[in-house]
């Protein structure tokens, strides 16, 4: 079980959005000049880590999901469609966890703004990870293993 990154979480959210809205683009961080609607955009506005002990850290990551529907001649989207999309993303996070690689990561959703062009939801993720670079001095490692941490005890 390896450590997780914000990119791993964004990939998992993207996978779920692709499942729920097949064929619709999911953009990361920035929208291209000629982006296509309907679509979603993902951003990671916040990451945090808190020491738990010498071996473990508590991780927290927020993923902002921006929902966009088709627009009319005035550049407005259907509020009904935006509300549906926002509710679908809230439901995705309401299950309490999201599969990310080999983990079930705790998540909750926070409904954000809605205006005539878009609606947002923030997924609040939290999990415990091993401290990066930590080497347990009591665990022997295979000297031929290229993934053995530096300073590891060799039997």
């Amino acid at each position: 079980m390896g450590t997780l990154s914000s990119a791993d979480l964004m990939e998992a959210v993207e996978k779920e959005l692709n499942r729920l809205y097949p064929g619709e683009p999911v953009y990361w961080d920035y929208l291209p000049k000629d982006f296509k609607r309907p679509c979603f955009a993902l951003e990671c506005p916040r990451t945090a880590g808190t020491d738990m002990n010498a071996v473990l850290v508590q991780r927290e990551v927020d993923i902002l999901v921006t929902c966009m529907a088709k627009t009319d001649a005035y550049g407005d989207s259907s509020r009904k469609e935006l509300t549906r999309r926002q509710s679908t993303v809230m439901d995705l996070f309401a299950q309490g966890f999201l599969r990310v690689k080999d983990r079930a990561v705790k998540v909750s959703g926070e409904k954000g703004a809605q205006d005539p062009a878009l609606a947002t939801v923030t997924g609040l993720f939290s999990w415990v990870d091993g401290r990066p670079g930590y080497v347990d001095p009591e665990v022997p490692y295979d000297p031929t293993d290229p993934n053995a941490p530096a300073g590891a005890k060799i039997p």
Side-chain angles (χ1 to χ4, degrees):
M1 178 166 53
T3 60
L4 297 178
S5 68
S6 57
D8 295 328
L9 297 173
M10 289 175 67
E11 285 172 357
V13 172
E14 179 180 19
K15 180 180 175 183
E16 288 300 311
L17 292 172
N18 286 331
R19 181 182 62 79
L20 294 166
Y21 295 91
E24 292 188 14
V26 178
Y27 301 105
W28 282 36
D29 296 322
Y30 301 101
L31 294 173
K33 180 181 173 186
D34 297 319
F35 74 95
K36 305 284 187 243
R37 289 175 179 259
C39 65
F40 295 89
L42 303 178
E43 298 175 57
C44 179
R46 187 184 79 88
T47 61
T50 306
D51 289 337
M52 293 186 70
N53 56 40
V55 181
L56 301 173
V57 291
Q58 172 75 37
R59 300 282 187 193
E60 294 177 355
V61 171
D62 296 352
I63 303 294
L64 177 66
V65 180
T66 303
C67 312
M68 289 171 264
K70 289 185 178 187
T71 56
D72 61 19
Y74 300 102
D76 292 340
S77 297
S78 161
R79 289 290 181 119
K80 191 175 190 178
E81 178 58 21
L82 286 173
T83 298
R84 281 190 181 125
R85 287 171 170 269
Q86 194 175 41
S87 294
T88 299
V89 176
M90 284 294 294
D91 289 347
L92 174 65
F93 296 148
Q95 63 186 335
F97 73 95
L98 188 67
R99 290 224 172 269
V100 182
K101 292 187 170 185
D102 60 348
R103 306 266 195 84
V105 178
K106 181 180 174 184
V107 64
S108 61
E110 204 171 77
K111 183 178 174 185
Q114 187 182 102
D115 64 37
L118 56 86
T120 64
V121 174
T122 301
L124 309 167
F125 292 85
S126 65
W127 71 99
V128 175
D129 245 343
R131 183 175 302 281
Y134 175 77
V135 178
D136 186 342
E138 300 301 316
V139 175
Y141 291 90
D142 179 354
T144 62
D145 181 0
N147 297 319
K153 180 179 175 182
I154 308 296

